[in-house]
Amino acid sequence: MIRVLLVDDDALVRAGLAMMLDGAAGITVVGEAADGQEAVAAADAHAPDVVLMDLRMPRVDGITATRRLRARARPPEVIVLTTFDTDENIVHALRAGAGGFLLKDTPPPRIVEAVLRVAAGDPILSPRVTRRLMERTVAQSGAYERARAALAALTPREHEVALAIARGGTNADIAAELAMGLTTVKAHVSSILTKLRLDNRTQVALLAHDAGLA
């Protein structure tokens, strides 16, 4: 079972998410928190696999809480679920280590899918978020050169895997596309994260977008 922690300052939102996710196969809601400070304590108490995180909350905001959770030795995956899709929120959340960014008008089946995918290590973004992210990162001054320089540290095969990650491919998708074993794909992904000093696959995709390659 995938253990999920819900973090939102609106009790009705938490109740709706809990009802939806507890009815999904393979998912159980193990705790709730009303702000980022409570989220850190709840993560200690419940050891979630995935945290659904709101952004604008009292005391400690969602981006700060995401950064604190992802800095742990065994961090949970974090999916930001918010109504605020500004460029700054999107980029800051992903830089903090979030593995997904969804808007609160996302259909329930898509939210369930996001929990399952992110728990498996695959990033997921709302389509509107993906478009805005691509437009911002390509336009950022200096980002193109820095991203190209970083990706130059990869081997040709790792470069292919990184681009496949940026296209949203799962490990199984990449294995089929590049004709390699699943274990080999996982080894390449681990090496890519280490060489680029990144935390997760979403940040690899972001870097590829910065480089204009995806």
Side-chain angles (χ1 to χ4, degrees):
M1 297 289 285
I2 298 170
R3 299 167 60 83
V4 176
L5 173 65
L6 305 176
V7 185
D8 197 295
D9 60 344
D10 189 329
L12 290 177
V13 171
R14 297 198 307 272
L17 289 171
M19 183 179 301
M20 175 184 65
L21 293 173
D22 271 334
I27 298 173
T28 182
V29 175
V30 296
E32 299 182 12
D35 59 49
Q37 184 170 314
E38 289 184 10
V40 174
D44 287 333
H46 301 293
D49 301 305
V50 176
V51 178
L52 279 179
M53 182 78 72
D54 191 18
L55 286 185
R56 296 192 181 180
M57 298 179 290
R59 297 199 294 179
V60 176
D61 64 81
I63 290 173
T64 300
T66 296
R67 187 177 297 111
R68 291 177 182 175
L69 291 174
R70 292 298 298 169
R72 296 176 168 215
R74 298 185 66 181
E77 297 292 341
V78 177
I79 300 172
V80 169
L81 186 63
T82 183
T83 56
F84 304 102
D85 63 337
T86 66
D87 291 353
E88 290 75 16
N89 283 340
I90 296 167
V91 172
H92 289 166
L94 298 181
R95 299 285 188 200
F101 196 110
L102 300 178
L103 303 180
K104 285 184 177 177
D105 61 0
T106 300
R110 177 76 168 168
I111 295 176
V112 171
E113 177 194 1
V115 170
L116 297 174
R117 284 189 57 180
V118 170
D122 297 325
I124 190 164
L125 304 173
S126 292
R128 194 164 80 208
V129 169
T130 300
R131 172 54 56 188
R132 292 183 64 165
L133 181 63
M134 291 173 66
E135 291 172 350
R136 176 188 171 92
T137 55
V138 170
Q140 282 181 326
S141 176
Y144 177 85
E145 290 78 10
R146 291 193 298 271
R148 287 275 180 166
L151 291 171
L154 303 180
T155 67
R157 202 58 162 162
E158 288 169 348
H159 196 271
E160 291 179 329
V161 172
L163 294 187
I165 291 172
R167 292 192 294 270
T170 65
N171 286 345
D173 294 334
I174 297 169
E177 177 184 343
L178 300 181
M180 63 175 67
L182 193 58
T183 300
T184 302
V185 173
K186 291 179 180 179
H188 281 313
V189 172
S190 178
S191 178
I192 289 166
L193 293 175
T194 298
K195 287 183 177 181
L196 299 180
R197 297 182 180 180
L198 298 178
D199 187 56
N200 57 40
R201 298 165 72 105
T202 303
Q203 292 174 339
V204 175
L206 183 61
L207 190 69
H209 288 310
D210 282 345
L213 298 175

